[in-house]
C-alpha cells in the first residue's frame, strides 16, 4: 500500500517517489513510478507464431483487412521468390547488411534458418508502439522467445490446426513443397510444440472467421490490464487526491 510521496525502489534498484495514488506495486514497481516502464499509453505488441500450415499468415491477413493493426515486415537474406516485392513480403538485404544490423542492435529478434537470416527491425516497431498503434509480429518460436524477453508485456499467441491430418492436408494443398520437404516441416513442428507452453494463448484454427475474431478479442482484452490503463489510473488518482483535499476528508 503506497501513498503519494512515498519512497519506493524501481526494478533497477534506484529510489524514486510515488507521484500519485494509493496503489500497490505492479510486479514490484509502484504505479507512481510506472515511468520506468511506459511514459504514456503505448500500443499493444502481439506475437503470432504457429506451425507451418496452421494458418497464422491467413489469420494475420484477415486481421489487417478487418481491423487497424500494423504488421512489422521482417528482413531476410534469402532471395525473393516470384511475385515477392521488397518492402512488402520482406526487406531483402545482403548477409553483410543483416550482420551489421545485428552488430548495431537494430533487431528485436533474429534467427538463421536453412542458411538464411530472418529478423525483425526494431525502429519501426518501437515507433509504432510509442504512437499508440497496435503491432503484430508474425514470427517463429525462437523469435517469439526473444521478443518475450525484450517486451515482457507483449501478448504471445500460438496458432494450431485441428489435427495432424489436417495440417498435412494443408501443406500438400499449398503445392509448394515435395513430400521430403513436408516431412522436414513435420519434424520442425514436433520441435516447436515444446515452446507452446511459453505462449500466453493458443488459438485453434478450425474455422478462419472464428479464429480471426478470437485473436482480435484476445488482443483487445489486453487494454483492460493495469499496465495499459496508466492514463486512466493516473487521472482517477489525481481526482481522488484533489477531492480529499477539498473535502477535508
Amino acid at each position: 500500500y503506497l501513498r503519494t510521496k512515498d519512497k519506493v525502489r524501481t526494478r533497477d534498484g534506484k529510489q524514486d517517489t510515488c507521484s500519485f495514488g494509493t496503489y500497490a506495486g505492479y510486479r514490484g514497481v509502484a504505479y507512481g513510478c510506472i515511468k520506468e516502464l511506459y511514459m504514456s499509453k503505448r500500443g499493444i505488441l502481439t506475437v503470432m507464431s504457429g506451425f507451418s500450415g496452421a494458418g497464422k499468415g491467413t489469420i494475420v491477413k484477415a486481421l489487417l483487412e478487418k481491423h487497424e493493426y500494423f504488421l512489422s515486415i521482417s528482413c531476410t537474406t534469402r532471395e525473393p521468390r516470384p511475385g515477392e516485392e521488397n518492402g512488402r513480403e520482406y526487406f531483402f538485404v545482403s548477409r553483410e547488411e543483416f550482420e551489421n544490423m545485428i552488430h548495431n542492435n537494430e533487431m528485436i529478434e533474429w534467427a538463421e534458418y536453412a542458411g538464411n537470416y530472418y529478423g525483425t527491425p526494431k525502429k519501426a516497431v518501437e515507433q509504432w508502439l510509442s504512437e499508440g498503434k497496435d503491432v503484430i509480429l508474425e514470427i517463429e518460436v525462437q523469435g517469439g522467445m526473444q521478443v518475450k524477453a525484450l517486451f515482457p508485456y507483449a501478448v504471445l499467441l500460438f496458432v494450431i490446426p485441428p489435427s495432424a491430418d489436417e495440417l498435412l492436408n494443408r501443406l500438400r494443398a499449398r503445392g509448394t513443397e515435395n513430400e521430403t520437404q513436408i516431412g522436414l516441416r513435420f519434424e520442425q513442428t514436433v520441435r516447436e510444440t515444446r515452446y507452446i507452453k511459453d505462449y500466453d494463448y493458443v488459438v485453434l484454427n478450425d474455422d478462419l472467421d472464428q479464429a480471426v475474431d478470437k485473436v482480435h478479442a484476445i488482443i483487445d482484452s489486453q487494454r483492460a490490464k493495469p499496465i495499459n490503463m496508466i492514463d486512466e489510473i493516473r487521472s482517477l488518482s489525481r481526482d481522488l487526491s484533489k477531492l480529499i483535499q477539498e473535502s477535508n476528508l
Side-chain angles (χ1 to χ4, degrees):
Y1 187 79
L2 297 169
R3 298 166 299 176
T4 303
K5 306 302 182 183
D6 277 354
K7 296 293 183 181
V8 295
R9 288 196 178 276
T10 60
R11 289 185 299 182
D12 59 5
K14 296 179 180 179
Q15 192 176 70
D16 205 343
T17 301
C18 185
S19 58
F20 67 92
T22 54
Y23 293 92
Y26 181 78
R27 294 190 182 181
V29 183
Y31 281 126
C33 305
I34 206 68
K35 61 187 178 183
E36 183 196 10
L37 301 175
Y38 296 113
M39 288 299 293
S40 60
K41 186 178 292 186
R42 291 165 60 92
I44 295 170
L45 179 61
T46 301
V47 170
M48 290 282 291
S49 301
F51 306 137
S52 179
K56 62 182 180 297
T58 305
I59 292 174
V60 169
K61 182 179 179 181
L63 283 168
L64 297 176
E65 292 174 350
K66 294 178 65 175
H67 306 285
E68 192 173 351
Y69 290 109
F70 289 77
L71 177 64
S72 174
I73 300 175
S74 298
C75 289
T76 183
T77 57
R78 76 162 173 80
E79 292 295 320
R81 294 169 182 162
E84 290 183 332
E85 295 182 8
N86 186 46
R88 188 179 66 185
E89 285 80 12
Y90 286 97
F91 291 113
F92 296 98
V93 300
S94 69
R95 193 172 186 87
E96 181 180 0
E97 288 175 313
F98 198 105
E99 290 177 346
N100 284 336
M101 294 176 74
I102 296 173
H103 179 74
N104 294 327
N105 195 30
E106 296 175 13
M107 308 296 285
I108 291 177
E109 57 82 26
W110 64 273
E112 189 171 10
Y113 180 77
N116 289 301
Y117 285 127
Y118 295 82
T120 303
K122 183 185 298 183
K123 184 176 180 180
V125 172
E126 291 187 334
Q127 180 177 337
W128 284 336
L129 291 174
S130 69
E131 294 172 353
K133 297 172 180 175
D134 298 332
V135 181
I136 295 177
L137 306 182
E138 184 188 338
I139 55 179
E140 302 304 321
V141 291
Q142 295 90 340
M145 295 302 97
Q146 293 178 47
V147 172
K148 184 176 183 179
L150 283 174
F151 297 88
Y153 301 104
V155 55
L156 276 64
L157 290 82
F158 197 96
V159 180
I160 62 171
S163 68
D165 287 337
E166 176 60 21
L167 182 63
L168 179 59
N169 291 336
R170 292 179 185 179
L171 289 173
R172 284 174 171 166
R174 293 199 307 197
T176 58
E177 297 164 313
N178 58 39
E179 289 297 301
T180 300
Q181 292 170 321
I182 290 175
L184 293 174
R185 289 284 190 187
F186 260 63
E187 291 178 6
Q188 177 67 19
T189 295
V190 173
R191 291 191 290 269
E192 289 176 343
T193 58
R194 303 167 188 165
Y195 292 91
I196 296 178
K197 68 182 187 307
D198 298 316
Y199 278 68
D200 300 310
Y201 301 92
V202 175
V203 177
L204 177 64
N205 184 19
D206 56 351
D207 179 279
L208 178 60
D209 290 336
Q210 291 182 11
V212 171
D213 290 343
K214 184 178 296 184
V215 170
H216 176 64
I218 289 171
I219 297 174
D220 196 51
S221 70
Q222 306 305 301
R223 304 184 198 287
K225 287 188 173 181
I227 193 66
N228 294 319
M229 295 284 290
I230 295 304
D231 290 345
E232 291 81 0
I233 295 172
R234 182 181 290 117
S235 177
L236 176 61
S237 182
R238 281 197 301 263
D239 291 344
L240 288 170
S241 297
K242 182 179 179 181
L243 182 62
I244 290 172
Q245 293 174 358
E246 293 177 347
S247 303
N248 295 319
L249 296 176

